[in-house]
Amino acid sequence: MKHKIYYGIFIFAFIFSAVALIRPAPASYAAKKTKLNVKKLTLTKNDTYTLRVYNLKKKHTVKFVSADDSIVSVRENTNKKSAVITAVSLGTAQIRANIYNRKDKLVRSLKTNVKVTPYAVSIKFAQKKVKLALNDTTKLPVIIKPRTSHEVPLFESSNPDVVTVNSKGIITAIAPGNAIITATLLSGGQKAECEVTVAAPPSPTPDSQPDPLE
């Protein structure tokens, strides 16, 4: 009887091991797809951006080319897996990352469409004055003309100890007080200002005193 039990356990262990061996590899071990970091991009004239190819196989090489160098130019980096593109003039151009095997045969072409927009000529905040409670966070929208421009202004706070601002125009109230947020167009120097007031927290109410008549 004991021999039958041991035999059954052996058969079960053998089948379990076989199933584990033939089980397909998890998705995490599957080969990762070669791709570019972006498929489409909008730049302002004279802006630069680094295109990168991810998961490039060791046996492959890549060559970056522009469909129109007069709109977007390409300068390859020394690591051969990335290239710096520059917005030269208004328009749209396609950048291709051509992938070759060891025999210099083209095996794949990755594409990114790049749109080049004009400089902004004016900027203003949607609001000239903003009030925040302590620790509040909000974004200060800006109105840029022409609307076709995607130029990103430089944001600065006159008093970072009171209000901080990041590169996207998001402000955070740090302490009670006032600060001026300035947005500057680097292409022409045009500026816009918004006054931000951080309100002091309400004073705590004093504890109620007991009625002397009680």
Side-chain angles (χ1 to χ4, degrees), residues 9-63:
I9 293 174
F10 174 78
I11 294 297
F12 175 79
F14 176 79
I15 294 174
F16 180 81
S17 300
V19 170
L21 288 173
I22 64 175
R23 183 180 297 172
S28 59
Y29 292 100
K32 294 183 178 180
K33 186 178 180 181
T34 304
K35 62 180 180 179
L36 282 168
N37 52 339
V38 290
K39 291 185 178 181
K40 61 180 180 179
L41 184 65
T42 300
L43 300 175
T44 303
K45 186 178 176 182
N46 291 333
D47 277 352
T48 60
Y49 185 85
T50 301
L51 280 178
R52 292 183 175 87
V53 175
Y54 292 129
N55 308 320
L56 185 69
K57 296 179 181 179
K58 291 183 179 180
K59 62 182 179 180
H60 289 163
T61 57
V62 59
K63 176 72 174 179

